[in-house]
Structure formats: C-alpha cells, structure tokens
Amino acid sequence: MELHERLVAARKQAGYETAVEGAEAVGVPYGTYSGHENGSSGFRADKGEIYARKYKVRFEWLMRGTGPMVDLASKYRELLTTFDSLPPDLQANYAEILRNLAKPFQQPEPDQAQPPAKAKSASK
C-alpha cells in the first residue's frame, strides 16, 4: 500500500467519508490535501504527524507502512475508560455484551475432562 493509499485508509477509519471532510478536519486546504490523497504530491513527516494524530493512526504505519494501523494500547485504554465511567449495573451489561460479541472469534478451550489418548504399541 502506497503512502497516499494509507492516508485514504486512515481518513476513512477515522470516520471522514470524503477528502473534503478530511481536509477540513486537519485544517489543510482541499487542493493540497487532495494531492496528498491522490498521490500527485507527497507530504513530509511534519504533515504526516498532523494526519496521524488527527486520524488516530500510528505515524510509522502512515509514513512507512510498518506495523499495525492503530496503537492497540490506546484502543484498550479507550475501552477501559468507557467501562470505568459506567455505573456498576451497566458495567455488568457492557461486559456481557463484549463477551457475546467476542464468542465467535475465540478459540475453543481444550476439554480438560478427557485424558490424552494413549499411543498404540508397535510390539505384538
């Protein structure tokens, strides 16, 4: 994925549907911003820092394509902060909703009740 394609992906994951919205969000003239997104003009690290911060993506991912798009630790902090701000009864509901959402993606745990199968002996 090229730099301009990562910029488009970053803008969209941040919730800005169009380049016009993205340009307004970061305070860059649309003509300049559209050149960055369509690849007709690149952008330097100082502008990349602004884009990464506004779109909440990792600078290294945006500029070089290395590592994950978002910092997972910040996502976890956001979830925990939201959870901590809820009253205790809603915390229980929130936790149950998260468990149910995660079920299809979790690996089944091995059955602890069954002992491992014995190997067959090769001798007669």
Side-chain angles (χ1 to χ4, degrees):
M1 187 182 289
E2 299 292 324
L3 176 64
H4 68 281
E5 294 169 320
R6 290 190 299 274
L7 181 60
V8 172
R11 170 181 53 80
K12 288 182 177 180
Q13 84 82 36
Y16 301 103
E17 294 296 318
T18 67
V20 171
E21 291 173 339
E24 289 174 359
V26 294
V28 173
Y30 174 72
T32 301
Y33 184 82
S34 67
H36 295 167
E37 273 205 7
N38 68 29
S40 64
S41 63
F43 52 91
R44 295 189 317 243
D46 59 339
K47 195 62 75 180
E49 287 178 11
I50 293 168
Y51 292 153
R53 192 174 325 110
K54 184 64 181 180
Y55 296 155
K56 296 181 181 175
V57 298
R58 293 179 55 254
F59 174 78
E60 295 81 6
W61 175 83
L62 178 63
M63 298 303 289
R64 293 187 278 287
T66 58
M69 178 191 278
V70 295
D71 175 22
L72 295 179
S74 66
K75 291 286 185 190
Y76 295 147
R77 276 193 298 277
E78 181 182 348
L79 285 171
L80 291 174
T81 300
T82 301
F83 182 84
D84 288 344
S85 70
L86 296 172
D89 59 325
L90 289 180
Q91 285 182 355
N93 291 342
Y94 185 77
E96 185 61 27
I97 290 168
L98 287 175
R99 278 188 213 96
N100 288 332
L101 287 171
K103 275 182 190 177
F105 305 101
Q106 293 176 332
Q107 296 292 330
E109 292 192 25
D111 188 3
Q112 302 293 348
Q114 294 184 7
K118 294 182 182 179
K120 291 185 180 180
S121 175
S123 64
K124 291 184 181 183

